[in-house]
Every structure is written in C-alpha cells, then in structure tokens.
Amino acid sequence: MKGINRARTGLAGAVATFTILALAACGGGGSDTAGDGGDTGDGGSDLIRVGFSQLGAESGWRTANTESVKESLSADNGFDLTFVDAQQKQENQIKALRDFVAQDVDVIAFSPVIETGWDEVLQEIKDSGIPVVLVDRTVDTTVDDPFVTWIGADFKAEGTTAGEWVAENAPDAKIFELQGTLGSGAQVDREEGFGEVVGDQIIGKASGNFTRAEGKTAVEAALQAYPDMTMIFTHNDDMGLGAIEAIEAAGKVPGKDIQIVSVDGVRDGLQALVDKKFNFVVECNPVFGDQLAELITKVADGEDVPKETIVIDKAFDQTITQADVDARAY
Ligand code: AHR
C-alpha cells in the first residue's frame, strides 16, 4: 500500500442500522485518475486511495452522478480517485475491480450494472481485505457480508410512487412498461413496486436498457404490438425522451394520446413535464457525492457506518414551472 495505513477490517466498520439522509441538490469511457496521488516525497500519501467503477454513461442521471462523485472525491477533499467507466458491461466492471485489488487501493466503490454475477470477484476483494462501498445499485451474491455499506435510492418506493399516481389519476390506462437494464436493481425493484399497485393495468413490457436510443426502438415496436396502449411507465427519463420521439413519429401526441410516467427528474425530463409531454416524474437523486465521500472516509478509517443510506426522492407533476426546470442543477 502506497498511502497511510488505512483500516483493512472489511466489515468491522459496519453496523446494521438504517439511516435516511436528506440530500441538498448540488452535481466517456475508460479510466482516469482524478487525484495526483498526493505524494509526500517519502513514498507515502495522506490521500485516501479509492477505486471507483462506474457502470456507464447511459443516461443524464448517470452523467450527473459521475460529476457529483468526481467533484466530491477530489484531491482537494483528500482522495486519490481512480475512476473507470464500464460502458454498461459487467466484464469491464469485473476487470476494473480486479485492477483495484492489484493496485491495493484503500477502498473499492462500485455501481453494479446488474445484481448477479459478482460472487467470484467479491470473494477475491474480500480475501484482499479491501473494504467495498456499494453505490446506487445493489448486488445479489452468495458471498457473506460482501460490502461494508451501500448508498442509493429506494427503487421499489419509486415504482410504488409512480403506481400510486397512476391508480389515482389514470385508473383505466393501458400501460406499456419500458424497463431499464434487465437484471439491474433499478429495473427489478421499480417494476416490483409499480406492479404491486397497478400490475393489472400493464399490457406489455420491454427493455430500453436505460438509454434514449433503445427506449425509442422499444416504443416503436410497442406501438405496433400494443396499438391500444394509453400510457408508458418508463424506468428512466432518457428512455421516456426516446419514447416521445417514437410517439410523435407515429403521429400521436405524447402526454395526451399516450401519457408518460417516468423516473429520474433530470432537467430534460422535467422540461418534458413542463411541455406536457411527460405526465408525472418520480425523482431519483444522483447528487450524493458528498455523502459518499463521508462514508468512504469513515470506512477507510475503520469507523462505524450505517449499513444503508437511502437517498431521499421527490416527485413532480405538471404543476412544475419553467423556473423550477431552469433552476435544476442537472
Ligand atoms: O440506477 C439508477 C438508474 O440508472 C437511473 O434511474 C437511470 O437513469 C440510470 O441509468
């Protein structure tokens, strides 16, 4: 290890408590090192060496999350960050995680693109003694106590909030569900939460992999397959924006002929709400870099941290104003 002797207790810093933190709003491919290593001249460093595997750059949400993480895990704030974008490929993430182990970083953080398939690499990390901080999404693994702490949104609650709006405002809607990356925590949990409330109104589903282009393609096919659909529930804004393009190209009016309920609340999504093309948006707040930095610092120092930190989300309907959108930080 190049730096100071950070805690290598793995799980010792975790306590099984549940904390809710309210967040204040604030903010390519390959790898980059954000810090300069902070060399002291004697081979040591007082920076915390963090390897962060981001899952990709698939959406406006992800871009805002990456900016927030990089801004908070800066050298000025005491971090030597190695950031790797996996381009939505699990094999890239696994390679990055193994590289972080080889580099003997102080803390490994990552946003898993899907929930399963991590057993082997998580066991390797555990054997190395490097603590893991899960970011945004969760894992489903046979490895005991695979991470010290997780920070992210309550995806199931987001789906439930969307479902409750539909139940109250469009109880007769015939819904096509535009799913995120299949097998990701965000897809699995949003679908579960939504389905528990208005599952009987869903007439079809397909994945748009959380991207605008794939969302558009999925909705083009759905317009043919489900000509009676009156609503789309999309697992993120980017796919919903792709849906708008497909709906308009088919000569229909988004927000009227086909209502759109979305998740995220990035500026483009909220603009679609002001423009009456989206009907309801459940927020998923990506700006939690400061909270992540605080957790990583505590983990590196072997201090107790909550096992989970849930990022607080809001929801928006068409009463949102242009001024609200213009003031949006991302
Ligand atoms: O995991 C969070 C989800 O991932 C966001 O809702 C989506 O936009 C992103 O791709």
Side-chain angles (χ1 to χ4, degrees):
M1 173 187 266
K2 180 175 100 175
I4 57 177
N5 189 20
R6 292 286 176 183
R8 282 306 181 84
T9 52
L11 297 170
V15 290
T17 57
F18 188 85
T19 292
I20 294 181
L21 287 184
L23 294 180
C26 61
S31 130
D32 61 79
T33 302
D36 62 5
D39 285 341
T40 58
D42 59 1
S45 163
D46 55 4
L47 301 182
I48 300 171
R49 301 178 67 227
V50 180
F52 185 95
S53 168
Q54 179 61 286
L55 68 85
E58 75 283 6
S59 63
W61 188 99
R62 190 66 54 195
T63 301
N65 180 249
T66 290
E67 283 173 9
S68 176
V69 167
K70 285 185 173 177
E71 193 177 302
S72 298
L73 298 182
S74 65
D76 283 350
N77 290 340
F79 299 93
D80 178 7
L81 172 66
T82 301
F83 179 95
V84 183
D85 175 347
Q87 300 174 336
Q88 283 189 288
K89 292 193 172 70
Q90 185 177 39
E91 61 267 30
N92 290 349
Q93 288 206 279
I94 290 173
K95 180 183 180 311
L97 297 177
R98 290 193 166 124
D99 287 347
F100 297 153
V101 171
Q103 291 160 18
D104 197 24
V105 298
D106 297 320
V107 177
I108 290 175
F110 77 111
S111 280
V113 62
I114 55 173
E115 291 187 314
T116 57
W118 305 102
D119 295 355
E120 207 177 322
V121 71
L122 282 174
Q123 188 61 53
E124 290 167 22
I125 298 171
K126 189 169 181 178
D127 292 345
S128 78
I130 300 174
V132 171
V133 174
L134 273 190
V135 182
D136 169 34
R137 297 185 187 169
T138 45
V139 292
D140 180 2
T141 177
T142 55
V143 176
D144 280 340
D145 295 324
F147 58 92
V148 181
T149 187
W150 163 76
I151 180 169
D154 185 339
F155 297 135
K156 184 174 178 189
E158 291 169 350
T160 302
T161 301
E164 287 171 349
W165 185 88
V166 173
E168 193 174 333
N169 295 279
D172 299 323
K174 294 184 173 57
I175 304 167
F176 172 71
E177 185 162 358
L178 190 46
Q179 304 155 297
T181 304
L182 295 177
S184 68
Q187 175 263 318
V188 172
D189 294 349
R190 285 174 186 161
E191 190 166 326
E192 186 181 344
F194 188 76
E196 281 180 5
V197 186
V198 287
D200 56 343
Q201 290 180 236
I202 298 169
I203 59 171
K205 301 181 183 185
S207 176
N209 200 25
F210 283 124
T211 70
R212 186 184 293 218
E214 289 170 86
K216 181 181 176 189
T217 302
V219 171
E220 283 167 351
L223 286 164
Q224 300 295 322
Y226 311 105
D228 55 341
M229 82 161 94
T230 60
M231 175 179 284
I232 292 173
F233 169 50
T234 172
H235 289 188
N236 84 343
D237 286 346
D238 290 77
M239 295 190 296
L241 295 165
I244 288 174
E245 293 177 29
I247 292 167
E248 290 178 338
K252 297 195 174 189
V253 181
K256 288 200 175 73
D257 298 333
I258 299 180
Q259 295 186 300
I260 300 176
V261 173
S262 183
V263 184
D264 270 358
V266 297
R267 195 184 294 115
D268 287 351
L270 296 186
Q271 185 64 54
L273 200 53
V274 168
D275 296 342
K276 312 283 192 247
K277 296 182 178 185
F278 279 5
N279 298 79
F280 187 67
V281 175
V282 181
E283 183 181 48
C284 182
N285 191 336
V287 185
F288 51 80
D290 287 351
Q291 286 71 27
L292 176 64
E294 192 178 329
L295 285 169
I296 288 175
T297 301
K298 287 183 174 168
V299 168
D301 289 336
E303 292 178 33
D304 285 350
V305 289
K307 193 71 181 173
E308 296 185 334
T309 303
I310 305 291
V311 177
I312 297 295
D313 296 325
K314 297 183 282 192
F316 305 94
D317 62 20
Q318 289 182 339
T319 60
I320 190 174
T321 66
Q322 187 62 52
D324 295 328
V325 176
D326 294 344
R328 194 74 171 161
Y330 54 91

